[in-house]
Amino acid sequence: MRTPIIAGNWKMHKTVTESIDFVKQLEPKLAPYQTVERVVAPTFLAIPGVSEVLKNTDIKVSAQNTHWENQGAYTSQISPSMLQGLVEFVIIGHSECRAYLGETDDMINKKAKALLAHGLKPIIAVGESLEQNEAGQTEAFVGGQVRAALDGLSAEDMANVVIAYEPIWAIGTGKNASGEIANNIIGGTIRKTVRQLYGDTVADTLRIQYGGSVKPENMMEYMSQPDIDGALVGGASLKVDSFVDLVRIAAEAKGN
Ligand code: PGA
């Protein structure tokens, strides 16, 4: 049985004060849903304050990115060792970072390795563009992203990896892949690729989230799918009530 994982990716939203106020309100409301792993991903600046508020709770903190080197002449970047002790998870490979920051599969693979070497857990985002989707290239493209991101990772490493399938055309657009389509890519492409690479045990225990315009209204559609183990949520994670609804629905859907 895979523990569902719901992560709120706040992107470039909320000041430090707003982030801290938000988790103070959120924490008691999420406390009952212990069968769901609950994660917030604030901006780098807000991470220390948010981590302090959540330190004696079971709500986890994630960063939204990392560099792969520990230190050096990389203006503006934050390294895995700087995140140690403050976060448990780090989102890497988000399509916005691939598109706007020019991140490549090779960089994402280096980030995954660096995080795992520091005891941090990557949430690796993959997903195809609308053009690729319409050209029938989803399986080949997403499968390729998965292989590239995991290159050189061991089966033991995989116990600390989460993958998020986020079709680019569904992020922040209000358009979303149907639960069935998302489940087919997650099960039929991503989990299948991991099965080819690592075998049944790793494939059957790996948690794979769906992301892209997830909200309380469509959460049950995704969470009732057998291969979808949670959600990576942007917009709907920015309000306390909708974040709580997402987690409650995940707990109900997964029978916990
Ligand atoms: P969205 O973002 O829920 O606002 O579509 C999801 C994401 O980019 O992780």
Side-chain angles (χ1 to χ4, degrees):
M1 174 95 187
R2 299 184 291 262
T3 303
I5 174 167
I6 310 299
N9 171 17
W10 294 349
K11 308 190 179 184
M12 199 173 70
H13 292 285
K14 300 190 188 295
T15 64
V16 173
T17 311
E18 287 165 353
S19 301
I20 291 170
D21 287 349
F22 188 89
V23 289
K24 282 183 180 162
Q25 292 174 51
L26 186 69
E27 191 281 319
K29 295 190 177 184
L30 288 190
Y33 303 105
Q34 290 175 8
T35 54
V36 176
E37 193 157 28
R38 294 138 292 161
V39 183
V40 291
T43 62
F44 283 125
L45 275 178
I47 284 173
V50 165
S51 296
E52 181 64 24
V53 172
L54 297 178
K55 73 174 181 225
N56 293 321
T57 76
D58 58 2
I59 298 174
K60 314 281 176 60
V61 183
S62 174
Q64 297 176 16
N65 206 346
T66 185
H67 199 273
W68 57 88
E69 296 288 353
N70 260 334
Q71 57 185 28
Y74 300 101
T75 300
S76 85
Q77 297 296 297
I78 299 286
S79 74
S81 59
M82 294 170 186
L83 294 168
Q84 267 178 324
L86 291 170
V87 304
E88 183 166 329
F89 293 93
V90 180
I91 300 165
I92 55 173
H94 194 282
S95 61
E96 287 153 12
C97 302
R98 294 180 192 252
Y100 307 140
L101 305 177
E103 295 194 1
T104 63
D105 281 339
D106 179 53
M107 290 158 79
I108 291 151
N109 176 245
K110 285 198 257 188
K111 290 174 192 231
K113 287 178 176 155
L115 290 172
L116 291 161
H118 287 83
L120 298 166
K121 300 176 180 172
I123 298 176
I124 303 172
V126 296
E128 82 287 0
S129 67
L130 185 59
E131 298 72 48
Q132 289 163 330
N133 183 280
E134 287 176 344
Q137 296 165 350
T138 301
E139 177 151 7
F141 183 75
V142 172
Q145 284 184 317
V146 170
R147 283 178 186 276
L150 303 182
D151 187 42
L153 269 56
S154 68
E156 293 73 48
D157 287 334
M158 290 302 291
N160 291 316
V161 168
V162 174
I163 294 181
Y165 171 57
E166 298 204 308
I168 297 170
W169 48 272
I171 297 176
T173 57
K175 289 185 198 164
N176 49 301
S178 72
E180 202 183 337
I181 288 173
N183 190 70
N184 285 344
I185 305 296
I186 287 175
T189 297
I190 299 177
R191 207 178 295 286
K192 186 172 122 194
T193 301
V194 171
R195 197 176 300 283
Q196 288 163 353
L197 294 171
Y198 296 97
D200 288 341
T201 307
V202 169
D204 291 337
T205 49
L206 174 73
R207 292 182 297 171
I208 309 177
Q209 300 171 304
Y210 173 73
S213 299
V214 172
K215 45 188 189 264
E217 295 76 19
N218 59 26
M219 186 66 170
M220 187 53 99
E221 181 182 345
Y222 294 112
M223 293 306 109
S224 56
Q225 299 289 337
D227 270 303
I228 303 182
D229 306 314
L232 181 57
V233 186
S237 74
L238 294 170
K239 296 230 163 63
V240 171
D241 288 349
S242 65
F243 201 138
V244 174
D245 281 347
L246 294 168
V247 171
R248 176 182 53 74
I249 294 165
E252 282 171 18
K254 298 297 179 187
N256 293 312

